[in-house]
């Protein structure tokens, strides 16, 4: 999980469904993958990419970047971070997030209205918007695009509109899947109608307070009607492989000029883009996975905007000069190894990293004792070189009811295990009350990623182990790849392990849905029922009963969020770790926009050249 994350590790997709469809698992995936690949800062050194690259031949107003893997750009696919950076520039959504906030504003629409019951949205599309193939955007294109999202065999994002609190109304049918009958989407039943060329009507299953945010979600980006033939009624104008991997067609500020899969993607400014003319004429993105090569390209000035691998980061070289309204920090960093002092910014990734306990395997006194014994500030300092915030709640500060100030105040006044301090005596007392001591020690195993921030998590694990030793807990440390940890956790074979979650939309509900007691929850809280678990379940039901946009419903949700946080504290089902921050460096040769948050697309169309 990350040193620098983007919460959109896989298009902000942050959950995985098990093969049986039983468990919804919070993972570091999007939309929250805590992998360094999110920023091109992976610490692996298993390849031999050169520090140069073909993009270096470009000149003029060409922006050169290093990105991780880039293979599929289809909006309905869950994408890795390199592919996502490409898609963010090629495609646009009906709505977008402004640079100074999280309230969606119009992008491909000129106006919209909402019915009194909050279920029907009527959008008026902007006229004169063209796709990169020259076709004009109409409501029929959106209907086709969202039907692909729901019904295409190529779609991995159908749950965006078919499941969860934000659901477009639709019909289902019974189908046998892996020998079991299941209710699945009935093709053609999505409640999305083209009223005329520029009017789109969408009906939701229920009113939802953050529906506009979902209309700004990347998987709902329109593509030309019939561009591929992967849903009923369309033969396709392009082969799917060409559209998804070589020549994606959207309405964004850039179009694909050339794609060498696994090597480089070059984008050029779209001729008939409806918005402001992009700053760069081209963006040349070289695929680089090796951290040494990433660093060397930055030191050679082969890129203008870059990430430093965490192993190369020195917090003593940071000088913060400005803090912006979404918590972005802006300043300088230097000198680099090449002697340059460069621009530097950080932003909130709306992500929480934590250690999960399997409550059916680890007793409550042991869970509580480990929470008492540690100080989350040490996790940030020793594991992540001081970049990030210690985590006390599941919800990140930016989405906590009342924001960061309320987050800090509630943690300082109510966190039971020591706010910004370890409480070793309390840990020992809890263990002794449960019958543990020097002659009767508990034994558990902590399983860490060996493929995601192995150095950072090794330092944190050593810290936890030393603290555990002092409170009658013998902690063994094992390592496994991320996917193995997920498989073993789903099977109930792990005591305690690294995990995390990046939010898909700016609400605590998107984080706390993984903490509630339900069948398939990885913490298996419902298998260890308690007063706290019952309060958490009741609070979750209160949230689900108040999903509308009114002030009264918002207040009810906020109270229930805090009740859930406190119930999670009481039974110590997690050991919270930290909230990461994204980071970016750039040379004075360009003026780069400041990334507002992990919810915003990572865009470089506003880069200008000095």
């Amino acid at each position: 999980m990350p040193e620098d994350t983007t919460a959109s590790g896989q298009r902000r997709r942050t959950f995985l469904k098990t093969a049986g469809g039983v468990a919804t698992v919070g993972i570091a995936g999007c939309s929250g993958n805590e992998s360094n690949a999110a920023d091109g800062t992976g610490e692996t050194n298993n390849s031999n990419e050169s520090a140069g690259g073909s993009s270096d031949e470009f000149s003029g107003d060409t922006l050169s970047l290093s990105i991780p893997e880039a293979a599929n750009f289809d909006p309905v696919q869950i994408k890795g971070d390199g592919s996502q950076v490409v898609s963010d520039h090629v495609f646009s959504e009906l709505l977008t997030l402004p640079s100074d906030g999280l309230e969606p504003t119009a992008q491909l629409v000129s106006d919209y209205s909402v019915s009194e019951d909050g279920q029907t949205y009527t959008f008026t599309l902007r006229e004169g918007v063209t796709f990169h193939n020259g076709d004009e955007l109409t409501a029929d294109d959106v209907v086709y695009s969202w039907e692909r999202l729901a019904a295409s065999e190529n779609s991995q994002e159908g749950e965006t509109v078919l499941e969860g609190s934000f659901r477009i109304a639709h019909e289902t049918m019974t189908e046998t899947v892996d020998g079991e009958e299941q209710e699945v989407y009935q093709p053609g039943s999505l409640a999305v109608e083209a009223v005329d060329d520029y009017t789109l009507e969408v009906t939701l299953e229920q009113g939802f307070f953050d529906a506009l945010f979902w209309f700004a979600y990347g998987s709902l980006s329109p593509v030309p009607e019939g561009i591929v033939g992967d849903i009923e009624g369309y033969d396709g104008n392009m082969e799917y492989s060409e559209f998804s991997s070589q020549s994606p067609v959207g309405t964004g500020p850039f179009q694909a000029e050339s794609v060498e899969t696994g090597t480089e993607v070059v984008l050029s400014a779209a001729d008939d883009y409806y918005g402001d003319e992009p700053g760069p004429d081209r963006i040349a993105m070289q695929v680089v996975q090796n951290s040494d090569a990433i660093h060397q390209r930055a030191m050679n000035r082969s890129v203008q905007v870059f990430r430093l691998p965490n192993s190369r980061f020195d917090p003593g070289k940071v000088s913060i000069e400005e803090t912006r309204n979404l918590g972005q920090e802006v300043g300088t960093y230097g000198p680099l190894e090449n002697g340059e002092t460069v621009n530097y910014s950080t932003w909130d990734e709306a992500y929480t990293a934590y250690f999960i306990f399997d409550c059916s395997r680890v007793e409550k006194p042991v869970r509580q004792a480990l929470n008492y014994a540690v100080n989350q500030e040490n996790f940030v300092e020793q594991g992540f070189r001081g970049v990030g915030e210690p985590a006390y709640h599941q919800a990140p500060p930016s989405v906590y009811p009342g924001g960061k100030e309320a987050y800090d105040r509630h943690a300082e006044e109510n966190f039971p295990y020591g706010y910004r301090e370890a409480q070793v005596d309390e840990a020992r007392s809890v263990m002794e009350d449960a019958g543990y001591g020097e002659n009767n020690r508990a034994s558990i195993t902590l399983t860490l990623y060996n493929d995601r921030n192995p150095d950072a998590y090794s330092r944190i694990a050593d810290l936890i182990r030393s603290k555990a030793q002092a409170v009658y807990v013998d902690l063994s440390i094992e390592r496994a790849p991320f996917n193995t940890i997920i498989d073993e956790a789903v099977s109930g074979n792990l005591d305690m392990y690294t995990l995390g979650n990046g939010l898909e939309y700016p609400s605590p509900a998107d984080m706390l849905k993984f903490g509630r007691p339900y069948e398939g929850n990885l913490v298996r809280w419902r298998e260890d029922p308690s007063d706290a678990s019952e309060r958490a379940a009741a609070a979750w039901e209160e949230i689900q009963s108040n999903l509308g946009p009114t002030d009264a419903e918002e207040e009810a949700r906020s109270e229930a969020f805090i009740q859930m946080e406190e119930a999670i504290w009481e039974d110590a089902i997690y050991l919270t770790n930290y909230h990461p921050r994204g980071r970016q460096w750039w040379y004075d040769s360009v003026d780069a926009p400041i990334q507002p948050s992990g919810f915003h697309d990572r865009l470089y169309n506003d880069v200008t050249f000095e």
Side-chain angles (χ1 to χ4, degrees):
M1 300 176 74
E3 292 163 328
D4 296 336
T5 69
T6 67
S8 58
Q10 292 182 335
R11 186 67 211 165
R12 293 198 291 263
R13 175 64 52 208
T14 54
F15 56 84
L16 165 151
K17 292 211 171 173
T18 62
V22 174
T24 300
V25 180
I27 68 172
C30 326
S31 231
N33 184 338
E34 211 193 358
S35 161
N36 289 328
D39 285 319
T41 57
E43 294 298 324
T44 56
N45 288 282
N46 55 1
S47 60
N48 295 310
E49 294 103 328
S50 70
S54 58
S55 64
D56 297 345
E57 69 191 47
F58 297 117
S59 59
D61 290 350
T62 295
L63 179 67
S64 295
L65 306 171
S66 296
I67 62 170
E69 78 293 344
N72 189 308
F73 315 120
D74 185 355
V76 305
Q77 282 273 328
I78 294 176
K79 291 176 279 297
D81 295 282
S83 296
Q84 191 57 56
V85 172
V86 175
S87 294
D88 285 345
H89 291 82
V90 172
F91 298 98
S92 297
E93 303 83 27
L94 300 191
L95 304 172
T96 190
L97 298 182
S99 60
D100 60 351
L102 297 177
E103 293 295 327
T105 58
Q107 183 165 236
L108 294 179
V109 302
S110 58
D111 194 12
Y112 68 88
S113 61
V114 187
S115 62
E116 287 188 9
D117 63 5
Q119 290 184 241
T120 300
Y121 287 74
T122 302
F123 295 101
T124 302
L125 300 183
R126 293 179 60 155
E127 297 186 27
V129 174
T130 58
F131 290 100
H132 301 146
N133 65 357
D135 294 347
E136 184 181 12
L137 170 68
T138 69
D140 286 329
D141 297 308
V142 182
V143 173
Y144 164 81
S145 301
W146 293 3
E147 179 66 17
R148 284 194 68 237
L149 179 62
S152 169
E153 63 183 7
N154 293 307
S155 178
Q156 297 176 341
E157 293 263 20
E159 64 267 26
T160 300
V161 294
L162 300 177
E163 302 177 17
S165 300
F166 173 81
R167 296 193 306 277
I168 296 178
H170 62 276
E171 302 295 330
T172 62
M173 60 184 184
T174 303
E175 189 173 278
T176 301
V177 180
D178 295 330
E180 294 184 5
E181 288 191 347
Q182 296 184 12
E183 290 297 307
V184 300
Y185 172 67
Q186 180 175 313
S189 68
L190 204 63
V192 181
E193 178 187 357
V195 178
D196 57 40
D197 283 351
Y198 303 109
T199 306
L200 183 77
E201 187 174 275
V202 186
T203 301
L204 306 182
E205 294 277 7
Q206 60 183 354
F208 181 54
F209 65 93
D210 235 347
L212 289 179
F213 184 89
W214 285 103
F215 289 121
Y217 191 67
S219 63
L220 278 74
S221 299
V223 300
E225 182 182 12
I227 190 74
V228 291
D230 55 359
I231 58 173
E232 186 176 346
Y234 295 94
D235 295 329
N237 301 321
M238 298 173 65
E239 292 294 327
Y240 179 73
S241 59
E242 181 185 0
F243 167 76
S244 63
S245 302
Q246 294 295 317
S247 301
V249 180
T251 60
F254 289 86
Q255 59 191 18
E257 179 177 313
S258 63
V259 178
E260 296 180 51
T261 302
T263 302
E264 187 175 61
V265 178
V266 179
L267 305 179
S268 57
D271 292 334
D272 296 320
Y273 179 55
Y274 62 89
D276 294 335
E277 182 180 355
D281 295 330
R282 279 194 177 112
I283 304 179
M285 308 179 185
Q286 186 178 14
V287 177
V288 186
Q289 304 278 18
N290 180 285
S291 62
D292 288 338
I294 291 168
H295 178 255
Q296 193 59 49
R297 292 196 83 220
M299 295 306 99
N300 290 346
R301 301 196 65 157
S302 298
V303 292
Q304 299 104 322
V305 183
F306 57 94
R307 306 285 191 271
L308 286 182
N310 205 49
S311 59
R312 306 279 188 166
F313 176 69
D314 180 354
K317 295 183 177 182
V318 173
S319 176
I320 297 300
E321 301 166 0
E322 176 188 2
T323 300
R324 300 193 177 181
N325 66 314
L326 293 181
Q328 312 99 306
E329 296 178 331
V330 185
T332 59
Y333 181 93
L336 298 171
E337 293 176 22
N338 61 11
E340 296 272 5
T341 293
V342 295
N343 303 287
Y344 173 76
S345 68
T346 76
W347 58 88
D348 169 40
E349 284 291 10
Y351 189 104
T352 304
Y354 43 79
F355 299 93
I356 284 186
F357 294 108
D358 186 324
C359 296
S360 67
R361 297 172 63 95
V362 182
E363 291 183 291
K364 178 177 175 180
V366 177
R367 306 193 306 258
Q368 290 179 316
L370 290 176
N371 270 273
Y372 275 122
V374 303
N375 178 355
Q376 278 80 358
E377 283 193 305
N378 292 336
F379 293 165
V380 177
E381 295 300 325
Q382 297 187 30
F384 299 98
R385 300 177 185 265
V387 179
E389 297 287 337
Y392 297 99
H393 299 87
Q394 293 304 110
S398 60
V399 303
Y400 185 86
K404 187 178 188 307
E405 182 178 348
Y407 176 107
D408 291 339
R409 182 173 61 251
H410 183 255
E412 183 174 6
E413 295 175 356
N414 298 280
F415 186 64
Y417 303 109
Y419 179 72
R420 297 185 181 271
E421 66 175 350
Q423 297 186 345
V424 175
D425 289 342
E426 285 81 354
R428 291 196 187 103
S429 178
V430 166
M431 291 293 284
E432 290 166 358
D433 289 346
Y436 290 99
E438 285 298 347
N439 297 322
N440 181 33
R441 301 177 64 86
S443 298
I444 67 171
T445 299
L446 168 58
T447 305
L448 306 174
Y449 309 122
N450 65 9
D451 55 352
R452 302 185 177 203
N453 288 333
D455 293 340
Y457 276 99
S458 290
R459 292 190 292 270
I460 292 173
D462 288 340
L463 177 63
I464 296 173
R465 180 166 54 188
S466 68
K467 295 290 187 178
Q469 183 70 23
V471 298
Y472 315 127
V473 179
D474 294 327
L475 187 75
S476 301
I477 298 174
E478 294 183 352
R479 293 169 174 80
F482 172 75
N483 289 336
T484 299
I485 288 179
I486 292 295
D487 291 343
E488 291 296 295
V490 169
S491 299
N493 296 330
L494 302 180
D495 297 334
M496 177 184 180
Y497 50 94
T498 47
L499 212 58
N501 187 47
L503 299 189
E504 294 184 288
Y505 65 98
S507 169
D510 196 40
M511 179 70 72
L512 292 171
K513 66 185 178 185
F514 298 119
R516 73 192 194 280
Y518 68 99
E519 185 177 356
N521 189 331
L522 289 183
V523 298
R524 292 179 172 80
W525 202 2
R526 70 189 289 272
E527 296 176 23
D528 184 26
S530 65
D531 290 343
S533 68
E534 291 177 2
R535 289 200 306 275
W540 182 255
E541 289 302 316
E542 181 72 6
I543 293 166
Q544 296 306 296
S545 298
N546 289 277
L547 292 175
T550 68
D551 292 342
E553 288 169 305
E554 181 180 6
E555 183 177 352
R557 287 194 306 272
S558 295
E559 292 178 359
F561 292 146
I562 295 171
Q563 291 167 9
M564 286 195 70
E565 294 276 12
E566 292 180 348
I568 288 170
W569 284 348
E570 182 173 329
D571 276 9
I573 64 175
Y574 300 116
L575 175 61
T576 51
N577 184 353
Y578 87 126
H579 302 298
R581 294 186 66 81
R583 293 177 288 179
Q584 178 173 275
W585 291 256
W586 66 100
Y587 287 104
D588 284 338
S589 58
V590 297
D591 185 7
I594 307 302
Q595 179 76 12
S597 77
F599 292 114
H600 289 73
D601 292 338
R602 183 167 294 171
L603 291 171
Y604 298 98
N605 55 301
D606 288 337
V607 167
T608 56
F609 295 81
E610 297 296 325

